[in-house]
Amino acid sequence: MQRSLRIRSRALTTAYGTGIRDSELKVLNADLEELPEQVPRTAVESLVEARLDRHDHSRTYTFVLNGEERSFTYEESDAGMWFDTPVFGNTLRYRAEDGAIYADVSVQVSLVSIH
């Protein structure tokens, strides 16, 4: 079955240069019926294991996905406020590549640190 893809996005910029970007993905089959969407943030939260290790003057966030582990260490002074639990999906971007749709989902561990 051949599938068709339609991506619809909206952008709204508010006054004083503050921007809000809102994306919505719609995937249609060849009969123009909408395929059910999996919410990327929910998928990431269910697939990624996150752990926080606190040290005297630093903290390390470790993320595990499919057995692959990545750690990020920060000095306590790098941010005024840290999250004990990482926040996924404050920034979400869709992209199409080689016939597949990918959602790039951010992870945030403080008010100033977004990856």
Side-chain angles (χ1 to χ4, degrees), residues 56-68:
D56 288 339
H57 300 287
S58 66
R59 57 180 49 220
T60 300
Y61 291 89
T62 302
F63 302 92
V64 181
L65 174 63
N66 294 330
E68 186 175 333

Side-chain angles (χ1 to χ4, degrees), residues 3-81:
R3 292 189 176 171
S4 299
L5 166 69
R6 181 176 145 225
I7 298 176
R8 180 176 57 154
S9 63
R10 300 173 298 214
L12 169 66
T13 302
T14 60
Y16 307 107
T18 300
I20 297 173
R21 182 175 187 271
D22 182 22
S23 296
E24 186 176 309
L25 178 70
K26 299 291 181 184
V27 179
L28 308 175
N29 65 18
D31 296 328
L32 300 180
E33 295 168 342
E34 186 174 345
L35 299 175
E37 172 188 3
Q38 182 175 15
V39 179
R41 179 181 178 175
T42 305
V44 168
E45 288 173 344
S46 69
L47 295 172
V48 175
E49 175 192 334
R51 166 174 88 242
L52 168 61
D53 295 311
R54 294 182 184 175
H55 313 286
D56 288 339
H57 300 287
S58 66
R59 57 180 49 220
T60 300
Y61 291 89
T62 302
F63 302 92
V64 181
L65 174 63
N66 294 330
E68 186 175 333
E69 186 173 298
R70 301 257 173 126
S71 294
F72 301 89
T73 300
Y74 302 93
E75 296 297 318
E76 285 290 340
S77 60
D78 286 347
M81 182 182 136

